[in-house]
Amino acid sequence: MSSDSFDQPDSEHRPYVGALMRVVWQWVREQMYAGVVAAGYDDLNAAHVGLWRYPGLEGLRPSELAGRVGIRKQSVNDLLGHLEQHGYLSRVPDEADGRARVIRLSAKGRRLQQTIYDQAGAAELAIAEILGPRRFTQLHSCLELLKEQLSPSPATR
């Protein structure tokens, strides 16, 4: 990087790949949340829906979930408390370590999870339509390769 690149305003720099991926990810999250609300889950906010990351919440410890989504354990527990109060899940003792708790989805929580996954699929289809079959297949293949090759950070494990 040359020293004169520091003299250029931010608007003159091309966005990095990470910034571009973030914009797309935010759009996907907005689509998922809008679909969840449209499906009648009006007792949730975007932060609740944002807890769902592939492959889901079932069996996770709240501390693992906090690391996965990159927020404080207290914040995760507040969000889980709301979900628990509204009948989406329960936190039960971990069979491997009775001091720890794990998340168990209720039938209502599994329906919500399916709705979230359906909305994620709809967002993916919209992206596929924008890109067309060839470019979408290339994008998907490239992202799979990156997922396999890049070491996961503690927050994504």
Side-chain angles (χ1 to χ4, degrees):
M1 179 179 247
S2 69
S3 62
D4 36 316
S5 66
F6 292 110
D7 299 331
Q8 297 176 352
D10 286 342
S11 62
E12 293 181 24
H13 290 273
R14 282 181 28 168
Y16 291 112
V17 169
L20 295 170
M21 289 178 13
R22 189 182 116 263
V23 169
V24 175
W25 170 235
Q26 286 176 318
W27 179 85
V28 169
R29 287 186 60 178
E30 290 167 5
Q31 298 305 303
M32 289 167 43
Y33 179 63
V36 164
V37 171
Y41 296 97
D42 57 1
D43 56 347
L44 304 175
N45 64 40
H48 295 113
V49 174
L51 291 177
W52 265 266
R53 305 279 169 94
Y54 180 81
L57 303 180
E58 183 71 28
L60 284 179
R61 291 182 178 181
S63 59
E64 293 171 322
L65 179 58
R68 182 187 283 185
V69 298
I71 62 176
R72 294 178 304 121
K73 292 176 193 174
Q74 180 60 46
S75 297
V76 163
N77 279 312
D78 290 347
L79 292 167
L80 291 174
H82 178 91
L83 291 167
E84 194 166 25
Q85 290 170 355
H86 288 83
Y88 293 100
L89 57 83
S90 58
R91 291 172 282 185
V92 301
D94 186 342
E95 293 176 8
D97 178 0
R99 298 171 297 164
R101 297 237 181 254
V102 294
I103 299 166
R104 295 287 177 230
L105 295 177
S106 65
K108 182 179 181 182
R110 285 190 296 279
R111 287 190 302 273
L112 169 61
Q113 179 171 276
Q114 188 58 55
T115 300
I116 291 168
Y117 291 168
D118 291 347
Q119 295 307 312
E124 182 173 294
L125 285 174
I127 291 169
E129 284 183 27
I130 292 167
L131 295 177
R134 184 182 60 77
R135 288 178 18 195
F136 180 77
T137 299
Q138 288 174 332
L139 172 66
H140 198 279
S141 296
C142 289
L143 291 172
E144 284 284 343
L145 176 63
L146 288 170
K147 180 179 105 12
E148 292 169 10
Q149 295 294 315
L150 299 176
S151 301
S153 69
T156 59
R157 286 186 189 147

